[in-house]
Amino acid sequence: MHKLLQSINGPQDLKKLGVHELPNLAEEVRSYLMETVSKTGGHLASNLGCVELSIALHYCFNSPADKIIFDVGHQAYTHKILTGRRDTFPTQRRYRGISGFPKRSESEHDAFGAGHSSTSISAGLGMAVANGLNGDAHRVISVIGDGSLTGGMAFEALNQAGHLRKNLIVVLNDNEMSISRNVGALSSFISRKMTGGYYRSLKKEIEGLLTGIPAIGGNILHFAKKAENSLKGFLTPGTLFEALGFEYVGPINGHDLEAMVGILENVKQIEGPILVHVMTKKGKGYGPAEDMPDKFHGVSPFSLDGKPAPAPRAVAPSYTQVFGETMVKLAERDPKVVAITAAMPDGTGLTPFAKRYPERFFDVGIAEQHALTFAAGLATQGFAPVAAIYSTFAQRAYDQVFHDICLQKLPVVLCLDRGGLVGDDGPTHHGAFDLSYLRHLPELTVMAPKDENELQHMVYTAVGYGRPIALRYPRGAGFGVPMDREFKELPIGKGELLQDGTDLTLVAIGSTVHPALEAAALLKEQGISAAVVNARFVKPLDEELILSQAEKTGCIVTVEENALMGGFGSAVLELLADRGLSQVRVKRIGIPDRYIEQGSQAQLRADLGLDKEGIAATCAAFLKGRRADAPQLACVK
Ligand SMILES: Cc1ncc(C[n+]2csc(CCOP(=O)(O)OP(=O)(O)O)c2C)c(N)n1
Ligand SMILES: CC(=O)[C@@H](O)[C@H](O)COP(=O)(O)O
Ligand SMILES: [Mg+2]
């Protein structure tokens, strides 16, 4: 099985094969991908579409001396399999396994880490400039998808690359898909849409324009007809990239290995910035993924007959689903509600909204910065824009939150999905920092629901609030709590005391509230009486509630699935310090000052003491320690 693949322990082995053997190798890789990813889950369709391209790149270039950079890196499974990780590939995205994305610390062949999109050309240009300064003739190849090319950063890099004219090869892997179908004028321009109907109508329009020019129009049209080929050449994707100073090669068939090898061997001889436009099929070689590349972009383990494995019986709706349903209800009530996503309609749950209110739904592509300032523009005209962005990707748009939304006090609602630990995607995707990077912005309200029922009320409250407001919620299912039939407006800055206690107060935010309640039950079995507060708001804090509990129990334990640095617990510490309550003992539970690797959400929460057992153990030790170390301390009874 996989005879050719078994012989490849690195790119040097690949080069021993004849070009004519490469298509067989591609089939073996594809079969290995299917066999493995159907068991482990992961990014399937993008990788199936990138098999031949990855083989051709490693066949023609010499990694690691030549640098091959994958944008986002979710399509780099073949690259990993060919670069010494064939046998460890089944551990990808698993706890203590290899990463699902390129990672410099994992292999010398992973030239640049990835996970967030549109970075490959900038990184590649940096390396190309370094090569120039070092007199190093090795090549740098940035592989970027058509979706990732909608990220503004990619154009910032193209702009400079065309100016510097260093030796940089950009391979555009164009499958006309982002996660969903790719969007935007650029996508239409660079993909197939420049032939057929679009081209004909464009030509007709140009003819009409030219003949309308008095006196000379006829001659120009005559000239244009005679020069139609160059007109067609003028209008093909190359125009755009050549205008940016790139030599344009393509479009070429990204599944024809012999053709690609031939072209890449020629490209190697060309100096300066080059863009090779490769057309591929997302999901290539597996019917269901070819037919539904969006559904097979990221997959859980599935049976090879094309039916996704029966998802474990959902104990509760996902936060994402509740958000999406709430948005549809709010849009029914208020024509000013509009929804914005940055290329993640399915992931953020906005697809039902898009179907129901297409005129009020905007997928801006992978353009989070633009998404937020676009929302701010809508808000100036009386609309209630809700921007749904994964927490980690919203980090891209921090300045837009400050400069365009908060400073102008514009009523934009920022709904951050994937807040907290996301699991298999690992450190590039954990929403570990939003409570920290948002709470210090003046004019911004920041909140997190304790469960899926409170989420619907928070979205409702936020949309009606009329000022900058952000809420964050985790990846995955809620707690299976009953869903209120009517929305409730939550009083801004008010938390809730869920249960009383005398020895300490657990002050939890967001998805850590239910685990805190469960921890309190465990503590009760140990004779410890813990109060539990659902803080609801990171900003403004419910100062009255927190201060009264601090006075009452003298011992505060904060819990958050966010970085401890500058997070919710820090806000509570600041409050107590500002009020001169330094005698109150505070223990903070949250994400420590390091990056958290991949693993299941449950595993990672257990590792960090964020599950009920961990919270209870920390509280008990904290209380015991206090009793032992400092009997005079307020929280010692
Ligand atoms: C900044 C950022 N925003 C959003 C994402 C989520 N995301 C991952 S892959 C992807 C689509 C990428 O499309 P493309 O580059 O065309 O790659 P393909 O999957 O088609 O191979 C998106 C939106 C991301 N990784 N980074
Ligand atoms: C590669 C990428 O950034 C996305 O595919 C991301 O992995 C999606 O995450 P979810 O699976 O949480 O939607
Ligand atoms: Mg694509």
Side-chain angles (χ1 to χ4, degrees):
M1 183 69 160
H2 310 314
K3 192 163 143 297
L4 285 174
L5 185 54
Q6 281 307 320
S7 71
I8 293 171
N9 296 303
Q12 69 288 351
D13 298 328
L14 175 64
K15 295 171 186 298
K16 294 172 189 163
L17 299 182
V19 177
H20 64 286
E21 295 179 278
L22 298 183
N24 292 339
L25 173 64
E27 282 324 303
E28 288 189 15
V29 169
R30 199 163 262 119
S31 150
Y32 185 51
L33 281 174
M34 287 301 300
E35 199 183 287
T36 310
V37 179
S38 63
K39 294 191 191 95
T40 63
H43 288 99
L44 183 64
S46 312
N47 281 288
L48 289 173
C50 213
V51 172
E52 286 84 0
L53 175 56
S54 306
I55 290 173
L57 288 168
H58 278 293
Y59 193 74
C60 297
F61 293 96
N62 300 302
S63 172
D66 291 327
K67 307 295 178 201
I68 302 175
I69 303 160
F70 288 89
D71 205 286
V72 181
H74 64 307
Q75 78 293 56
Y77 293 0
T78 300
H79 156 76
K80 292 202 170 196
I81 289 166
L82 297 175
T83 53
R85 288 163 280 183
R86 179 198 58 232
D87 298 337
T88 52
F89 178 62
T91 71
Q92 64 101 13
R93 292 163 58 86
R94 288 191 162 170
Y95 189 58
R96 297 189 176 144
I98 63 170
S99 169
F101 303 100
K103 194 168 184 173
R104 288 169 49 80
S105 59
E106 188 176 290
S107 166
E108 60 177 345
H109 295 284
D110 289 3
F112 201 71
H116 288 196
S117 88
S118 318
T119 62
S120 61
I121 303 172
S122 298
L125 183 59
M127 293 176 203
V129 166
N131 281 350
L133 292 171
N134 291 335
D136 181 339
H138 284 105
R139 302 311 295 258
V140 179
I141 306 96
S142 295
V143 184
I144 186 167
D146 55 307
S148 299
L149 198 62
T150 62
M153 188 176 165
F155 272 82
E156 292 166 13
L158 286 173
N159 179 46
Q160 193 197 9
H163 169 68
L164 292 179
R165 309 204 54 70
K166 298 299 178 188
N167 291 344
L168 173 66
I169 299 167
V170 174
V171 176
L172 171 57
N173 172 27
D174 181 2
N175 54 22
E176 294 192 275
M177 290 296 292
S178 187
I179 292 182
S180 310
R181 182 149 292 283
N182 204 358
V183 296
L186 176 74
S187 166
S188 306
F189 185 76
I190 61 171
S191 289
R192 296 173 182 76
K193 298 185 185 61
M194 287 309 290
T195 54
Y198 181 91
Y199 177 73
R200 275 193 298 279
S201 64
L202 191 61
K203 199 177 91 175
K204 207 166 178 57
E205 207 174 306
I206 290 174
E207 282 177 3
L209 280 172
L210 291 177
T211 38
I213 300 170
I216 59 167
N219 292 338
I220 298 178
L221 179 61
H222 175 66
F223 168 75
K225 278 185 178 297
K226 280 173 64 69
E228 183 166 350
N229 286 340
S230 63
L231 180 67
K232 197 158 185 174
F234 174 71
L235 289 172
T236 56
T239 319
L240 175 71
F241 300 109
E242 282 162 353
L244 289 171
F246 278 73
E247 179 86 23
Y248 173 80
V249 175
I252 59 177
N253 177 348
H255 301 297
D256 180 341
L257 264 161
E258 298 198 32
M260 258 197 295
V261 167
I263 287 167
L264 290 175
E265 287 298 339
N266 290 335
V267 161
K268 279 164 71 172
Q269 315 310 323
I270 303 174
E271 298 287 306
I274 309 151
L275 186 127
V276 182
H277 186 182
V278 176
M279 306 302 291
T280 61
K281 175 85 180 153
K282 192 163 182 175
K284 176 82 176 172
Y286 179 54
E290 289 193 7
D291 297 340
M292 300 178 284
D294 53 345
K295 298 288 175 276
F296 282 84
H297 172 84
V299 295
S300 306
F302 66 98
S303 59
L304 286 172
D305 61 11
K307 298 191 189 68
R313 204 177 55 76
V315 290
S318 69
Y319 283 86
T320 302
Q321 183 188 338
V322 168
F323 165 72
E325 289 165 358
T326 303
M327 283 298 292
V328 170
K329 290 176 191 165
L330 294 177
E332 274 161 8
R333 298 163 176 228
D334 179 352
K336 292 295 185 186
V337 170
V338 292
I340 299 157
T341 177
M344 317 232 17
D346 289 338
T348 57
L350 282 175
T351 299
F353 185 105
K355 289 193 174 115
R356 186 78 176 274
Y357 300 102
E359 74 288 354
R360 288 195 267 158
F361 169 76
F362 301 95
D363 177 354
V364 299
I366 308 182
E368 288 82 4
Q369 294 172 323
H370 163 63
L372 292 195
T373 306
F374 172 65
L378 279 156
T380 62
Q381 303 307 305
F383 282 88
V386 178
I389 301 179
Y390 286 18
S391 166
T392 191
F393 301 145
Q395 289 161 186
R396 277 267 164 96
Y398 173 78
D399 188 55
Q400 284 72 21
V401 179
F402 150 63
H403 181 266
D404 301 319
I405 297 171
C406 294
L407 200 54
Q408 300 187 96
K409 300 178 186 162
L410 290 171
V412 172
V413 178
L414 190 49
C415 288
L416 300 180
D417 199 335
R418 280 42 174 203
L421 298 162
V422 297
D424 302 343
D425 272 339
T428 53
H429 284 63
H430 294 317
F433 310 110
D434 52 61
L435 300 186
S436 304
Y437 72 72
L438 291 175
R439 76 176 182 93
H440 55 247
L441 290 173
E443 297 299 334
L444 184 64
T445 294
V446 183
M447 56 187 176
K450 67 172 185 276
D451 52 38
E452 63 275 30
N453 182 47
E454 194 164 73
L455 171 63
Q456 65 170 336
H457 299 317
M458 281 199 173
V459 178
Y460 170 73
T461 301
V463 167
Y465 184 48
R467 300 175 66 108
I469 191 163
L471 56 129
R472 62 102 82 163
Y473 42 94
R475 182 177 200 272
F479 289 92
V481 299
M483 296 294 288
D484 296 331
R485 296 178 62 79
E486 292 301 324
F487 292 132
K488 288 178 192 153
E489 185 176 347
L490 301 174
I492 297 295
K494 288 294 168 207
E496 57 176 350
L497 180 63
L498 293 175
Q499 81 176 34
D500 220 334
T502 53
D503 293 326
L504 63 88
T505 302
L506 272 163
V507 185
I509 185 84
S511 56
T512 66
V513 172
H514 281 271
L517 276 170
E518 293 165 339
L522 295 176
L523 288 167
K524 190 174 177 192
E525 292 164 11
Q526 301 170 42
I528 296 171
S529 163
V532 180
V533 165
N534 167 25
R536 276 197 187 133
F537 292 83
V538 175
K539 184 179 186 186
L541 277 180
D542 185 339
E543 296 187 356
E544 186 188 342
L545 176 56
I546 293 168
L547 291 171
S548 68
Q549 285 302 121
E551 296 283 357
K552 185 173 174 186
T553 61
C555 226
I556 297 280
V557 178
T558 63
V559 196
E560 61 195 298
E561 200 166 295
N562 185 84
L564 287 168
M565 303 291 271
F568 168 68
S570 297
V572 172
L573 278 173
E574 290 161 13
L575 169 65
L576 295 171
D578 292 350
R579 298 303 178 91
L581 295 174
S582 53
Q583 80 285 4
V584 174
R585 312 311 295 167
V586 178
K587 177 73 182 171
R588 295 176 301 144
I589 301 173
I591 298 175
D593 185 25
R594 58 183 169 84
Y595 296 108
I596 307 305
E597 294 305 328
Q598 68 213 28
S600 71
Q601 288 174 299
Q603 178 69 58
L604 299 179
R605 287 166 180 154
D607 286 355
L608 297 175
L610 280 163
D611 58 0
K612 62 183 180 189
E613 292 82 2
I615 296 168
T618 300
C619 290
F622 182 51
L623 212 53
K624 185 161 167 279
R626 291 293 159 225
R627 285 184 174 141
D629 294 352
Q632 78 284 2
L633 280 181
C635 73
V636 176
K637 287 288 176 284

